[in-house]
Amino acid sequence: MPHHGNEEEHNTSPREEHLQEQQGNGHQEPVIRDNRKVDPVTGQARHPEGGHAEGGNTAPGTGSEDSDGDALAQAEEILNGVEVPAEESVAQGVPAGSTSAEAAELKNDLLRLQAEYVNYRKRVERDRAVAGEMAVIGVLNSLLPVLDDIDAARQHGDLTDGPFAAIATKLENALKTYGLVRIDETGVEFDPNIHEALIQQPGEDLEVDTVSQVLRSGYKSGDRVLRAAQVIVAVPA
């Protein structure tokens, strides 16, 4: 079929024909306006204070764009310009306007805390030392009967020679390293702190009570007497 008129009229797409029909009937396509305040591409505010541009976009080159800037810069400027009150600065640990009396009080508090800590350390170290000493004393007390048996065997001549004599000597030397001291001296002045008098006998040429014989040896560890020595005391006649 031959075409008449303009060739472009026959090449019109269905979409364009639909739009022409709507325009001929008085209908218009809806207009979509972007009213977002922040440009999704540049991140800058589209509606700064001082007015809105037509179509929801801020006109480029205006003075409001230079004065306001982006939202992050405005927030930083506001935060930097805020003055913190003195009460808040003190609460944050900044000594703002503190008087000499307050400084002296704080110094006294620190010195008191330091002294309490030093005393606590000394008390802990002393308690630890006492606990260790008591443990050693407990072991030594448990071995005193064994030492008595060694003394009895030595007096009867059973430990003059042989392996048992060597073992007894090693045991006594090992206990000496823990501070064990034997109390078995004779001819010394009687001391009720370390001697237990079982028998008194008159003596000659004596001015004070003197230990004449040791019936059972005593022991001490340091200044602590583990067991007093049982002795016979000679008294002045």
Side-chain angles (χ1 to χ4, degrees):
M1 180 178 181
H3 298 283
H4 301 280
N6 191 356
E7 185 70 19
E8 294 180 357
E9 293 180 358
H10 299 280
N11 295 331
T12 304
S13 63
R15 173 63 178 174
E16 293 177 352
E17 293 178 357
H18 177 69
L19 291 177
Q20 291 176 2
E21 291 178 358
Q22 288 185 347
Q23 291 177 359
N25 296 331
H27 297 285
Q28 297 180 354
E29 282 290 323
V31 179
I32 299 175
R33 293 184 175 87
D34 189 356
N35 294 328
R36 288 176 290 184
K37 297 182 179 181
V38 178
D39 193 333
V41 178
T42 61
Q44 296 183 355
R46 288 181 171 178
H47 305 294
E49 296 181 359
H52 300 274
E54 183 179 359
N57 295 327
T58 304
T62 58
S64 60
E65 180 179 359
D66 297 335
S67 61
D68 294 333
D70 57 272
L72 180 59
Q74 294 178 15
E76 292 179 354
E77 183 178 357
I78 293 174
L79 291 177
N80 293 332
V82 174
E83 295 182 359
V84 181
E87 294 79 1
E88 296 183 4
S89 64
V90 172
Q92 295 174 0
V94 180
S98 59
T99 61
S100 59
E102 294 176 350
E105 184 178 359
L106 292 175
K107 182 178 180 180
N108 292 332
D109 292 340
L110 291 176
L111 292 176
R112 182 169 59 255
L113 290 175
Q114 183 180 9
E116 292 178 356
Y117 177 70
V118 171
N119 293 333
Y120 168 76
R121 287 188 58 186
K122 290 181 178 179
R123 184 169 61 255
V124 170
E125 293 176 357
R126 183 175 61 252
D127 294 343
R128 186 183 294 111
V130 170
E133 182 180 357
M134 294 303 297
V136 172
I137 290 175
V139 174
L140 295 178
N141 282 327
S142 64
L143 293 177
L144 293 183
V146 178
L147 297 178
D148 292 338
D149 294 339
I150 292 175
D151 289 341
R154 185 177 288 115
Q155 292 176 2
H156 287 83
D158 297 335
L159 293 179
T160 56
D161 195 4
F164 290 104
I167 293 174
T169 302
K170 289 181 180 180
L171 176 60
E172 292 173 344
N173 293 332
L175 295 178
K176 288 180 181 179
T177 60
Y178 289 95
L180 184 64
V181 178
R182 184 189 296 267
I183 305 173
D184 58 353
E185 296 180 350
T186 59
V188 297
E189 183 179 357
F190 174 79
D191 186 356
N193 295 320
I194 61 175
H195 297 138
E196 180 183 357
L198 298 182
I199 301 174
Q200 290 185 352
Q201 297 176 347
E204 298 179 358
D205 300 333
L206 295 177
E207 297 180 359
V208 295
D209 296 344
T210 305
V211 176
S212 61
Q213 185 178 353
V214 177
L215 301 178
R216 190 182 69 172
S217 299
Y219 295 93
K220 66 178 182 178
S221 176
D223 296 333
R224 183 187 295 271
V225 178
L226 304 181
R227 188 181 69 184
Q230 295 177 351
V231 298
I232 296 176
V233 180
V235 297

